[in-house]
Amino acid sequence: MESSSISPVKPTSTSFASKVKALLMRAWRERWSDHQWGVHLKSVVNSCNGDSKELPEILLQQALVGPNPNALIIGYLQHIVLSQMIPPCSALNLIQKYDDISKPYCTIGLIELTDAIACNISVTSGMESSVVLCKCLQKTLHWLMMCILQSMKAMKDSQQQQEYISIIDAASVAALHIADNTTVQALLYVAMSEDQDNFRDYEQAVINVRGTLSQPVSDMLPSQTKQKVLIAQQTMSKVQDMALPSQPLCEVSHLGICPTINTLVTLEAVLNPSSDVQPFIDQLCVSERLLHLPRPSLYCEILRACFMGLNNCADTPEELKWAAFTYLKLPQALRYMKQQSPNQDIGEDLYQGLSELMNSVPLLDLVEIKLKCECLKFLIGEFSKNDLLDKAQTQQLMNRRSADCGTKIETSSHASPIQIIRNEQQLPKIIKGLSNFSHLDPGKESATLDNADASKTPSDMMSLLCLLTSGRNLDFILAVASSTGKLLGLASKLVKINEFAKQTQGEMGKMAQTRIMLFDISFLMLCHISQVYGLEIIAPSPEYSDSFFAHWATRCLPEDGKYKCIDNFTPTDQGKVDLLIQHLISGVDVNKLNITRMNEYCLNFPLALQEILIAWEHGAVSADSIKMIMEHIKNKMCCIPIVLCAWLCSYISMIPDKAREKPLQMIQMLQTPAMNPDPDLNYNERYALMTPILHKLINDILPVSKRVNYINYVPSDKLPSEVMDECIKGVFRRGWLDMKSVQTLEYLLNLCGSDWFCDRCIEAMLESSRLEDLMKALSLVFAIFHMDLEHITLSLLFHTLPRLLQTTGYHNLLSDPRGNTLAKLSVMILVSAQNSKNAEKDTIPHLRRGRKRSRKEVELEDMEETECRPVKRSKSSSLEPQLTLDSEGFNFDFLTAKEDGETSPTFDTKDPLNKSLANLMRLMNALSQDSQVSPRMSFIINFVREAINCGSQNAKFTLQFMPPQMVSNLLKSVQGVFNNRHILQICDLSTSIGRKVATQAICQNSRLQGPANSAKTGTVNST
C-alpha cells in the first residue's frame, strides 16, 4: 500500500470538484436515489467536457471524512462504477492505496465496495483494457490480504479486536467472492506473467497471512474467521492450477502391442543399423510422452519388438541386424537412458518390463527354437553386464524363464546371438590389428581372430583380412561394428590400408604380390561396406575424404540402382590406357606394366575397356579375344571387375536397348570365376566377397529374368499406388511392421517421394470410421513417418494438409473422428520433428540409404563451398543474425508487435519447418474467418486442442505462428470451444502480445459464455 490516505484533488480541477461537491450536498439533503444521482452527475460531467477521471477520488475524500464511511456517497460511487460512467479499475486502484486501519469502519466500507465492484465488473474487448483489468484484480486481492495481515498484527495491542475481526471477515469473504470465478482466476494467471515483481509481493502477502495464522496471535480469532481466511486462500491458490496437464494423443491400451514403439524399433534395427543411438532414444522418449506410456511398458514393448523381429527374420540376411541391435545396441541405448535419468530406477522398471514380456511364452519359445539358443537368457546377461539389472533381479528372471520353458533348447555355437556377442569381444582386437602394421617384412605367425591385435606386417595383415572375409565372419564383424558405433573407425582403418597398398615402393616377388592383394581385398571390403551401410560411412571421415577409394566410390560406385555419370570415369594418362590395351589384346600379364600406383589401374582400365568394346562392336576384335581379355582381367585382382562393371553399368544406362547386348555379355564374363587362379593369392576368399558386390551393382541394369536375389517390390502389372495400398492396409490389419513391409515402404518412399508417400498413408489411415481402427492406424503412421521424418513433415505441412483443407472433395476426411485423428497425427509429427531438429543442432544427422541429404547437410556443404568466396559468405553463414518472417514475405503483424524497450521476436527463416508451419497457420487463419461451421473449422479446432494436449512447451512451438485474431474467430464461430485454461495454453504468456491476446480472449470467452462461466459466489457481467 502506497499511502495512508486518499490524496487531495489537484488545483487545476477545482471547478469540477466544487460542482461535484455541491451536487453531493444537494443529493444528501434531498436523499436522491442512485438513479437520480447518476442523471444529475452526468449533466455535470458533460458540462466539464466529459472529464470524469477524478470522480472516484472526489467521492472517496467525502465518504471517508469521519471515523465511519458515508454510506450514501459510497453507494453513489458504486452506482457510477457499475453503470460504467467511470472505469472500475480507476476506483479499485484508488481504494488499494488506503491503508489506515485505525479507522476500521472505513476499511470495512471500502472492502464491501471492492467486493461489489470486483464481483460485478464488466469485461471489455480491448487488449489494453483487458491487461489493465488483470493487473488491477491481482492488486485488489493483494490489498485484501494486506488488510487481513495488518488487522491480525494490530489485534495484539488494540482495544478494537472485534472491529479488526470484522475487517478480517469482510476481506476474506471479498477475496473468496472475487477469486472463486474462472475468469478472474485466468486473468490472475496472466497477471502472474505480466508483472512478476508485483505478483511475488502478492504471493508473499498470502504466505505471511498463512504464517500469521499459525502463530499465537491467531488464537484471538474465532474459528469461523480462521476458516474463512483458509477457504479464501485455498480458492486463491487455484490460480496455480490453471495450467493444463498433458494428455495422451493416441490411445492404444486396447491393443495387444503398442504399434508406435514396435514400428520405431523395427525401423531403427533394419534401416539405421549404423546410426548413432541418441536419435533413437529421443524418438522413444518423445513417443513415451505423447502416448503417456509407463516406463516399464515402454521397455516391454521395445523388447517385444526385438523378439518379433528376430522371429520374423530368422534365417534371412536381416537376422544379423536384429541380433546386433537386440544384444548390443539396445543395452547401449538403455545405458544412455539410465545416464540421462539418474534419479529414475531403471533396474526396477526394466525388471518389470522383462517380467511382462515373459508372459509372451509362445513368442519366446518360437524365437529360441528358430535361433537354436536361449535368446532371452543371453539378453538378460547383457543387461546385467551393462549394470542395468542387479544379480538378484538377473537370477529371478533366469529362474522364471527356466520354469516357463517346457523343454531345454539345444544351443548351437553358430546361433546369431552367440556369434554377435563373441565378435563384440573380438572387435577391439581386430581394429587394433588393422592399425598395427608398419613395415614390409614378411610375417612369421598366422593371424587368427584371437590374436588379431598382434598383426604387424603386410603378410599378417593379408592373413587377417582373408580370415575376416571367410565364411560369415565379415557380416558378423560389420553387424557388431555398426551397432556399437565402431563401423566408421573400422572403415577408416581399411581406407588407410588401401591407401598404403596402392603405391609400390620397388618391392619384387612375394612382397609386391602381398601389397597388390592388400589393395585388392581392402577395396572389396570397402565396396561391401558402402553397399550395405552407404557411402556416408566412408565419405565423412575428414582424414580420408581425399583417399582414392572415397573419391572413386563417390564418383563412380552406383548406389541403390542409381548409376553415376560416365564422364566421372576419367583416365590419369592416355599413354597408360594405350599400353593397357596393347597388353590386354596380346595376353601379357598387366601386372607387369610399369604402373607404380594400383589406383591408376582402377582409373585407366574403364577407358581401356571402352576402346576394346568399341573395337568389338565394329568387328575389329573377335568374341574369343574378348573372352581371353576378360580372363586376363579377372585372373588375379577382383577389384578390377568391380571397377569395370561400374563403368559398364553407367555406359549401358545411357545407350538404347539395341546396343546393350555386347556390354551385357562383358558383364556376364566378369561375373564368372577365373579358370586358372593362383592358389597362393587367396582367390577364393576374394571371389566369394566380389560376387555379391557385383550382383548388387549390376542387378538393376540386367533383364529381370537374369537378376540374382532381386525382389521386385512393384510388379510390372501393378501401379505403385496399388502396391502401397495393399502394403499399408496389411500393416494396419496386423498392427505391426514385418520385414517385407519395411522394405516395400522404403522402396516406394524412394521411388515416389515424400509428398506422394504422405498422401497415400494419410488417405489409407482415414478410410475407417471406427475409433479403434483409427487409433491403431494413427499409431502406425506416426511411426512410419520416421522413415524420413524431416521431409515427410514438410510434405504434410506444405502439401497434404493445405490440399485437404482447400479441396471440397476431401472434407469428409476432415469430419470427426477422422479429422480429429488427422489433427493428432499433425501435432505428433510436428512435436517429433521439432525435438529431432533440436537434437541435431550440433551434429549431422545420419543419412539413410537411398534418401536425399537433409537440409542440415546441404547448408553445411554450402558453407564449405563458400569459404573461398568471402563476398558471398554472408548469404550462407549460420552466424548471421536471424531475420523476422516479414523479410521472407510473411506478414504476421503480431509477430513483430512489441512494447517500448522490448525486442521484436526473431525466427530462423531458413528453417523449412518454421516456414511451413507459418504458412499452414496463415491458411488456417483465413479459413477460421468463414461464417459457416464446416469440417475445415472442426479440423482447425482439433489441431489447436491437440497442440494444447501435448504439453506447454510443445504447444508453444506448434502455435507460435498462430495469429491473434484466429483465437477470437474460433471463439465466435463455436461458442465454448475453448475454456480459459485452453486459452492460457494457446497464448505465449512470456510475450506482451501473448498476454494481451490471452486477456482479450478470456474476456471474450466470459461474455460469450455468460453466467455459466461464473461460480456461485460471484459473477462477471458481460457488456
Side-chain angles (χ1 to χ4, degrees):
M1 302 184 188
E2 300 175 3
S3 62
S4 59
S5 61
I6 307 300
S7 58
V9 181
K10 297 178 182 179
T12 55
S13 57
T14 304
S15 176
F16 177 71
S18 60
K19 289 182 179 180
V20 172
K21 290 177 181 178
L23 191 64
L24 272 175
M25 291 297 296
R26 181 183 172 189
W28 180 77
R29 287 195 306 268
E30 299 178 8
R31 294 295 186 269
W32 284 350
S33 65
D34 292 344
H35 178 71
Q36 289 176 298
W37 158 255
V39 171
H40 288 85
L41 179 63
K42 187 169 292 186
S43 62
V44 172
V45 171
N46 292 336
S47 66
C48 297
N49 299 323
D51 186 7
S52 59
K53 293 180 180 179
E54 296 175 352
L55 267 177
E57 188 174 348
I58 297 171
L59 295 179
L60 280 179
Q61 282 182 355
Q62 299 303 314
L64 303 177
V65 171
N68 295 319
N70 190 314
L72 183 64
I73 299 178
I74 292 290
Y76 289 161
L77 177 57
Q78 178 178 331
H79 173 74
I80 63 173
V81 171
L82 296 182
S83 61
Q84 300 184 26
M85 287 185 63
I86 59 174
C89 291
S90 61
L92 291 176
N93 288 332
L94 192 64
I95 293 172
Q96 294 158 15
K97 298 178 181 180
Y98 188 85
D99 63 350
D100 187 7
I101 61 170
S102 61
K103 299 166 66 176
Y105 295 107
C106 290
T107 304
I108 294 172
L110 291 179
I111 292 173
E112 292 173 348
L113 176 61
T114 299
D115 190 357
I117 295 175
C119 290
N120 294 278
I121 207 166
S122 297
V123 295
T124 54
S125 59
M127 282 190 179
E128 295 293 343
S129 58
S130 301
V131 174
V132 171
L133 176 61
C134 76
K135 291 192 291 187
C136 177
L137 289 172
Q138 180 253 309
K139 291 179 181 178
T140 299
L141 289 175
H142 185 194
W143 179 73
L144 292 173
M145 288 297 104
M146 291 302 297
C147 288
I148 295 173
L149 182 62
Q150 291 187 359
S151 297
M152 287 193 294
K153 291 180 178 179
M155 287 176 63
K156 294 181 182 179
D157 305 318
S158 175
Q159 302 298 322
Q160 297 178 308
Q161 291 184 0
Q162 190 58 46
E163 287 80 356
Y164 289 132
I165 291 174
S166 299
I167 292 177
I168 296 173
D169 282 338
S172 300
V173 171
L176 176 62
H177 287 171
I178 296 171
D180 195 16
N181 180 281
T182 56
T183 299
V184 173
Q185 290 168 9
L187 292 173
L188 290 174
Y189 192 87
V190 178
M192 182 167 55
S193 301
E194 176 68 23
D195 192 340
Q196 296 182 3
D197 292 337
N198 283 337
F199 200 86
R200 276 194 292 268
D201 294 340
Y202 160 70
E203 286 184 317
Q204 188 60 48
V206 174
I207 294 172
N208 292 340
V209 169
R210 190 180 300 116
T212 306
L213 282 176
S214 62
Q215 295 177 0
V217 67
S218 65
D219 296 337
M220 304 171 65
L221 294 176
S223 59
Q224 292 181 348
T225 301
K226 286 184 181 181
Q227 190 66 21
K228 289 179 182 179
V229 176
L230 291 174
I231 292 175
Q233 290 204 327
Q234 289 175 359
T235 304
M236 292 163 62
S237 67
K238 292 180 181 179
V239 175
Q240 305 291 345
D241 301 328
M242 291 298 292
L244 281 172
S246 61
Q247 299 179 16
L249 269 69
C250 182
E251 181 57 52
V252 292
S253 58
H254 62 286
L255 301 175
I257 63 174
C258 177
T260 297
I261 303 301
N262 193 286
T263 303
L264 287 176
V265 173
T266 301
L267 296 179
E268 182 68 17
V270 177
L271 301 183
N272 301 320
S274 59
S275 66
D276 185 64
V277 73
Q278 189 58 51
F280 174 60
I281 295 174
D282 294 338
Q283 290 175 6
L284 291 178
C285 292
V286 170
S287 301
E288 177 190 22
R289 292 194 296 269
L290 292 176
L291 303 178
H292 280 214
L293 280 178
R295 188 54 68 93
S297 298
L298 173 66
Y299 292 148
C300 177
E301 293 300 332
I302 295 172
L303 296 169
R304 193 199 316 275
C306 291
F307 280 90
M308 290 174 65
L310 288 170
N311 175 60
N312 184 231
C313 296
D315 301 324
T316 69
E318 307 297 335
E319 180 185 335
L320 287 185
K321 290 183 179 180
W322 273 109
F325 175 85
T326 303
Y327 293 93
L328 299 180
K329 196 170 188 177
L330 180 57
Q332 180 187 4
L334 297 183
R335 189 171 68 248
Y336 285 173
M337 293 176 74
K338 178 181 179 180
Q339 295 171 358
Q340 294 172 6
S341 304
N343 299 326
Q344 194 166 358
D345 186 4
I346 188 174
E348 182 60 30
D349 291 339
L350 182 58
Y351 175 80
Q352 294 179 20
L354 282 163
S355 299
E356 186 177 347
L357 175 69
M358 286 185 178
N359 295 329
S360 305
V361 176
L363 172 64
L364 300 177
D365 289 346
L366 186 59
V367 172
E368 293 185 347
I369 291 172
K370 285 187 176 182
L371 270 60
K372 299 178 182 178
C373 73
E374 296 178 312
C375 299
L376 184 58
K377 290 186 177 180
F378 278 111
L379 182 57
I380 293 172
E382 289 301 306
F383 288 154
S384 178
K385 187 193 304 182
N386 285 273
D387 296 326
L388 298 172
L389 294 172
D390 59 34
K391 292 182 179 180
Q393 291 171 331
T394 301
Q395 192 59 46
Q396 290 174 10
L397 292 170
M398 293 280 195
N399 293 339
R400 178 179 171 183
R401 179 55 190 157
S402 298
D404 292 341
C405 184
T407 58
K408 185 172 178 61
I409 302 296
E410 290 288 340
T411 301
S412 171
S413 60
H414 299 292
S416 56
I418 297 176
Q419 290 290 339
I420 287 292
I421 295 172
R422 181 183 301 161
N423 279 276
E424 191 234 349
Q425 299 168 355
Q426 295 171 341
L427 181 61
K429 296 180 181 180
I430 294 171
I431 294 178
K432 183 178 179 182
L434 295 177
S435 308
N436 278 346
F437 76 100
S438 57
H439 53 83
L440 293 174
D441 294 339
K444 297 180 180 179
E445 296 182 3
S446 298
T448 65
L449 291 181
D450 291 329
N451 67 351
D453 55 345
S455 302
K456 294 184 178 180
T457 68
S459 297
D460 291 338
M461 189 61 56
M462 188 63 199
S463 299
L464 175 60
L465 294 181
C466 289
L467 184 62
L468 290 178
T469 56
S470 64
R472 299 188 67 193
N473 285 344
L474 183 59
D475 293 332
F476 283 118
I477 291 297
L478 293 180
V480 169
S482 66
S483 295
T484 55
K486 298 177 182 177
L487 183 59
L488 185 59
L490 178 63
S492 359
K493 303 302 179 188
L494 292 173
V495 172
K496 184 178 180 182
I497 293 172
N498 189 259
E499 285 293 292
F500 163 79
K502 75 179 182 182
Q503 181 175 2
T504 61
Q505 298 178 353
E507 306 98 341
M508 300 296 291
K510 185 177 180 180
M511 295 173 63
Q513 290 286 2
T514 301
R515 183 182 288 272
I516 292 173
M517 293 305 103
L518 270 179
F519 177 88
D520 195 49
I521 197 167
S522 60
F523 186 95
L524 293 174
M525 295 174 72
L526 288 169
C527 282
H528 180 72
I529 293 173
S530 300
Q531 285 186 332
V532 175
Y533 298 99
L535 285 177
E536 61 272 13
I537 297 297
I538 310 295
S541 176
E543 185 178 359
Y544 302 111
S545 58
D546 295 330
S547 65
F548 160 70
F549 182 82
H551 179 76
W552 176 84
T554 303
R555 292 172 58 85
C556 305
L557 184 65
E559 290 184 272
D560 300 301
K562 301 170 186 175
Y563 297 103
K564 304 299 174 65
C565 177
I566 197 170
D567 294 335
N568 292 343
F569 298 82
T570 55
T572 58
D573 188 345
Q574 187 60 41
K576 293 179 180 178
V577 173
D578 297 337
L579 194 60
L580 265 176
I581 296 172
Q582 294 177 12
H583 280 67
L584 288 172
I585 294 177
S586 61
V588 178
D589 187 358
V590 294
N591 292 327
K592 296 180 180 179
L593 291 174
N594 186 25
I595 297 179
T596 58
R597 293 178 178 271
M598 296 303 303
N599 59 304
E600 292 183 1
Y601 280 104
C602 298
L603 295 175
N604 292 322
F605 248 113
L607 277 299
L609 185 68
Q610 181 181 16
E611 299 294 335
I612 294 172
L613 175 60
I614 293 173
W616 186 23
E617 290 176 337
H618 287 78
V621 180
S622 65
D624 293 337
S625 298
I626 294 295
K627 291 179 182 178
M628 181 192 68
I629 291 171
M630 294 296 109
E631 188 66 29
H632 283 312
I633 289 174
K634 64 188 180 182
N635 194 36
K636 288 187 178 180
M637 296 178 65
C638 292
C639 66
I640 299 301
I642 292 176
V643 171
L644 295 180
C645 281
W647 179 85
L648 284 168
C649 289
S650 297
Y651 176 74
I652 292 172
S653 66
M654 57 174 287
I655 61 177
D657 292 343
K658 295 180 180 180
R660 294 186 176 189
E661 180 182 356
K662 286 183 170 57
L664 287 174
Q665 290 181 25
M666 281 187 167
I667 288 177
Q668 292 176 2
M669 295 176 192
L670 290 171
Q671 281 185 272
T672 58
M675 297 178 63
N676 298 305
D678 191 334
D680 297 331
L681 299 181
N682 305 103
Y683 177 81
N684 291 334
E685 289 83 353
R686 292 183 289 117
Y687 177 77
L689 183 56
M690 178 192 74
T691 302
I693 296 173
L694 284 180
H695 287 163
K696 292 179 182 178
L697 192 148
I698 66 178
N699 256 348
D700 288 280
I701 211 70
L702 293 176
V704 176
S705 60
K706 295 184 179 180
R707 296 177 183 178
V708 180
N709 296 328
Y710 179 78
I711 302 176
N712 191 8
Y713 295 105
V714 181
S716 57
D717 59 340
K718 288 186 177 181
L719 295 173
S721 58
E722 296 174 348
V723 176
M724 179 70 177
D725 290 344
E726 182 181 339
C727 177
I728 199 70
K729 288 177 182 177
V731 172
F732 291 165
R733 185 171 55 255
R734 286 189 305 272
W736 57 281
L737 212 58
D738 64 352
M739 185 53 54
K740 183 179 179 181
S741 299
V742 172
Q743 295 167 342
T744 302
L745 290 174
E746 187 193 26
Y747 179 83
L748 290 170
L749 176 58
N750 295 337
L751 177 68
C752 302
S754 57
D755 287 358
W756 179 90
F757 188 84
C758 183
D759 285 347
R760 302 306 302 182
C761 283
I762 286 180
E763 289 178 16
M765 178 185 74
L766 300 179
E767 278 192 5
S768 176
S769 58
R770 293 183 68 249
L771 188 59
E772 294 82 0
D773 294 340
L774 286 170
M775 287 300 101
K776 180 166 69 172
L778 167 63
S779 182
L780 285 164
V781 170
F782 168 67
I784 289 171
F785 277 6
H786 284 75
M787 294 176 72
D788 190 4
L789 183 61
E790 179 181 358
H791 294 115
I792 293 179
T793 302
L794 296 179
S795 295
L796 177 68
L797 299 179
F798 264 129
H799 170 73
T800 304
L801 289 180
R803 182 172 66 92
L804 295 177
L805 288 169
Q806 293 177 293
T807 307
T808 307
Y810 290 111
H811 284 186
N812 64 312
L813 299 181
L814 299 179
S815 58
D816 289 337
R818 295 185 182 95
N820 188 32
T821 303
L822 179 59
K824 287 176 180 287
L825 175 66
S826 304
V827 171
M828 291 169 69
I829 285 295
L830 267 172
V831 170
S832 188
Q834 172 66 7
N835 279 271
S836 176
K837 184 182 71 173
N838 291 339
E840 291 173 356
K841 282 183 178 178
D842 301 322
T843 59
I844 297 178
H846 173 73
L847 183 65
R848 292 196 184 98
R849 300 299 312 281
R851 199 78 73 253
K852 60 184 179 179
R853 296 169 301 164
S854 69
R855 179 185 63 86
K856 180 79 171 179
E857 290 175 304
V858 174
E859 286 182 356
L860 291 176
E861 184 175 304
D862 290 343
M863 287 175 59
E864 292 173 358
E865 290 178 353
T866 54
E867 286 181 355
C868 59
R869 294 174 291 170
V871 175
K872 297 183 179 180
R873 178 62 183 264
S874 60
K875 294 184 179 180
S876 60
S877 174
S878 62
L879 301 177
E880 68 179 357
Q882 291 180 316
L883 306 174
T884 61
L885 285 177
D886 284 340
S887 64
E888 290 285 324
F890 294 94
N891 189 25
F892 290 130
D893 295 336
F894 81 101
L895 292 178
T896 54
K898 61 177 181 176
E899 300 291 334
D900 293 338
E902 190 178 50
T903 59
S904 297
T906 56
F907 305 90
D908 182 7
T909 58
K910 292 182 179 180
D911 185 3
L913 188 59
N914 280 348
K915 289 183 178 180
S916 60
L917 187 54
N919 182 69
L920 180 64
M921 281 296 175
R922 182 164 53 180
L923 173 61
M924 287 184 176
N925 180 52
L927 296 176
S928 69
Q929 299 173 23
D930 191 354
S931 59
Q932 295 181 346
V933 179
S934 64
R936 296 189 302 186
M937 185 75 73
S938 175
F939 171 79
I940 296 171
I941 292 170
N942 285 328
F943 181 88
V944 176
R945 277 182 174 170
E946 298 303 333
I948 295 170
N949 289 339
C950 66
S952 58
Q953 288 300 318
N954 294 323
K956 182 178 179 181
F957 163 75
T958 306
L959 303 176
Q960 62 180 321
F961 300 119
M962 185 175 180
Q965 64 270 26
M966 184 170 163
V967 182
S968 177
N969 293 337
L970 294 176
L971 289 174
K972 291 177 182 177
S973 299
V974 185
Q975 183 174 336
V977 64
F978 298 127
N979 59 34
N980 291 335
R981 299 179 75 184
H982 291 150
I983 293 171
L984 294 175
Q985 289 284 90
I986 292 172
C987 302
D988 183 6
L989 300 184
S990 63
T991 63
S992 61
I993 188 66
R995 293 189 293 271
K996 289 180 179 180
V997 172
T999 54
Q1000 183 188 29
I1002 291 167
C1003 293
Q1004 180 182 357
N1005 210 25
S1006 176
R1007 294 194 305 276
L1008 292 173
Q1009 294 180 0
N1013 189 49
S1014 303
K1016 294 180 180 179
T1017 55
T1019 59
V1020 176
N1021 295 337
S1022 59
T1023 54

